[in-house]
Amino acid sequence: MSDIRNVPATGADSGRRSRRPWAAAAVAGALVALLSGASAVTANSAGGGPAADGQSPAVRACDVPRPGEAACLAEVLPGSAPGSRTQAPAGYGPADLRSAYGLTAAVRAGAGKGRTVAIVDAFDAPTVEADLAVYRSTYGLPPCTTDNGCFRKVNQRGDTAPLPQPDAGWGVEISLDVQAVSALCPSCDILLVESDNANWDSLADGVDTAVRLGATTVSNSYGGPESDVTDNRSHGTGPDPVRAASYNHPGVPIVAAAGDAGFQLDALYPATLSTVTAVGGTTLKKSDTARGWSETAWATNYKGGAAGAGCSAHVAKPAWQHDRDCPNRTLTDISAVADPVTGLAVYDSIRDPNGPPAGWMKVGGTSASAPLVAAMYALAGHTEDVRDASRLYAHRDRLNDISGGSVSVPHSGQECPASSYLCTALRGYDGPTGLGTPDGLGAFAPVH
């Protein structure tokens, strides 16, 4: 296994921050569970369980970003990572996710073959292809390798070398993204574009490169406060965020995570762009319903983690969005599982002294829901006329309407009343889950 210790880089990326306080967070989560009388989450309870009266002690995979940088949105559940190279945790695998979203038949029919899901992330994950091989073999998926043409990894310029500096936190993010796509679209090709760093221009270059190299759809599991981007725009005039054009590629759906910090007055970019499909998050559990699954919004936990929601201060409301309380673009459009407690099984072999043990772990965040939705776009195909999320709004009756769960963060200074659809999952459209979650591929069909 690789051992990445974040040796300081040279040039523009020198002085990387110290790693996340993983061990401290894991202990804190266990103490909260103990004091509340609840059992700590382990890797042995299928689909996860409440760690503190329903509250997740998940910690972010990546460092807190510096000004001008995006944050990766993967969250790892302490206690879910046994460090095992052979035994997967109880996080959801491909069969679970396909069942939950009505995709089993489409996958069995080979949907997605010949289409490419691109993933744009920062820094390099040197073990990503080997880790993907472990994941796919564990779940009986066909190999996806450089040699067979299924997997390709390039830098932000589209070249196979040189690759960026490795980063263990973003490595977890990358593993989550490529494995989530594999879970729902094993017949899809995967293009991983690694930007030089987490700066906005570098990530935007990565999106443009992904489209230039033939991506069917592009997934972006990162974000930052809209004001940080607009206030620091390097070029352009007016209220448009820097490099907004890089997220506008008609015929190629651009998907972005809506965030993991609940309702925010300063909404998350690039999900706020009207050319992007903004993906929120749910808590997904097995049930005895006809569907076999139940979902609520990924609600605020004691650390403030929750599905992102908000109202743009800069991007005008698109013609296809009609909610009443936000005069501009509203987050989100659609959602899928994101709660780390009910997260995905992910394999990552990078040994990070201040991160999760190498091996299998349970990972969530809207970093999980975004690549899942990107994979669904590829499964459905016929993306030539996709310019934005309007297709989903035209087919809202083909989605699971989600109710229950507030993402207002107490004592944050930006609380939102539980009665408001902007921060609570209510019947119909709402901020945390948008129009709802996929029920098969009907919502991704062309509009006639």
Side-chain angles (χ1 to χ4, degrees), residues 25-446:
V27 171
L31 284 174
V32 170
L34 178 63
L35 292 172
S36 68
S39 298
V41 172
T42 70
N44 298 318
S45 60
D53 225 3
Q55 297 167 333
S56 166
V59 297
R60 67 174 68 208
C62 297
D63 297 320
V64 174
R66 297 176 298 194
E69 289 185 339
C72 92
L73 298 171
E75 297 208 2
V76 185
L77 196 70
S80 72
S84 171
R85 301 182 67 182
T86 58
Q87 183 177 0
Y92 291 135
D96 298 312
L97 296 167
R98 296 171 198 167
S99 170
Y101 297 117
L103 302 171
T104 302
V107 173
R108 286 177 179 169
K113 187 172 180 60
R115 300 170 193 146
T116 300
V117 179
I119 293 160
V120 177
D121 280 314
F123 303 105
D124 179 40
T127 65
V128 60
E129 187 171 353
D131 294 346
L132 179 60
V134 172
Y135 180 88
R136 291 178 73 109
S137 64
T138 297
Y139 289 109
L141 307 180
C144 184
T145 66
T146 300
D147 289 344
N148 68 16
C150 173
F151 179 79
R152 185 180 181 190
K153 180 169 76 168
V154 299
N155 61 26
Q156 71 185 56
R157 289 160 291 280
D159 301 322
T160 56
L163 293 171
Q165 171 197 3
D167 182 280
W170 278 89
V172 173
E173 174 66 68
I174 291 169
S175 290
L176 167 63
D177 292 347
V178 299
Q179 291 169 29
V181 169
S182 292
L184 288 192
C185 194
S187 295
C188 285
D189 294 338
I190 297 174
L191 170 63
L192 172 61
V193 181
E194 297 181 331
S195 66
D196 293 345
N197 48 51
N199 292 340
W200 289 111
D201 277 327
S202 294
L203 291 164
D205 281 348
V207 177
D208 288 333
T209 293
V211 175
R212 175 170 56 83
L213 294 180
T216 302
T217 182
V218 183
S219 177
N220 304 278
S221 291
Y222 56 83
E226 192 178 51
S227 64
D228 286 354
V229 181
T230 57
D231 293 347
N232 292 292
R233 58 183 181 270
S234 59
H235 59 276
T237 59
D240 291 336
V242 63
R243 298 296 299 272
S246 294
Y247 300 90
N248 182 13
H249 291 280
V252 181
I254 308 297
V255 175
D260 299 347
F263 178 81
Q264 299 290 309
L265 294 176
D266 199 352
L268 201 77
Y269 176 91
T272 54
L273 296 173
S274 59
T275 56
V276 163
T277 297
V279 185
T282 66
T283 297
L284 174 70
K285 296 181 180 181
K286 293 182 179 180
S287 73
D288 58 3
T289 62
R291 178 187 171 194
W293 299 86
S294 66
E295 284 179 284
T296 56
W298 171 26
T300 307
N301 61 42
Y302 76 98
K303 294 186 69 177
C311 178
S312 174
H314 298 277
V315 179
K317 184 170 284 301
W320 35 266
Q321 203 174 48
H322 302 288
D323 59 298
R324 65 186 182 277
D325 292 340
C326 173
N328 291 332
R329 168 76 158 121
T330 311
L331 297 185
T332 59
D333 299 313
I334 192 172
S335 54
V337 60
D339 185 346
V341 175
T342 64
L344 280 58
V346 172
Y347 184 82
D348 184 89
S349 65
I350 296 177
R351 184 181 300 131
D352 181 2
N354 297 298
W360 287 98
M361 60 192 74
K362 189 186 291 186
V363 190
T366 51
S367 275
S369 55
L372 291 176
V373 169
M376 293 182 216
Y377 268 116
L379 282 171
H382 305 290
T383 59
E384 299 82 7
D385 63 345
V386 174
R387 303 180 63 91
D388 45 42
S390 58
R391 178 181 289 188
L392 304 177
Y393 288 76
H395 294 313
R396 60 193 306 160
D397 60 325
R398 303 180 189 181
L399 294 161
N400 300 306
D401 188 14
I402 306 303
S403 298
S406 171
V407 300
S408 178
V409 182
H411 315 299
S412 64
Q414 45 194 352
E415 293 89 346
C416 177
S419 59
S420 172
Y421 75 92
L422 290 175
C423 60
T424 302
L426 304 173
R427 291 191 63 182
Y429 177 85
D430 57 70
T433 67
L435 299 164
T437 63
D439 181 11
L441 296 173
F444 300 90

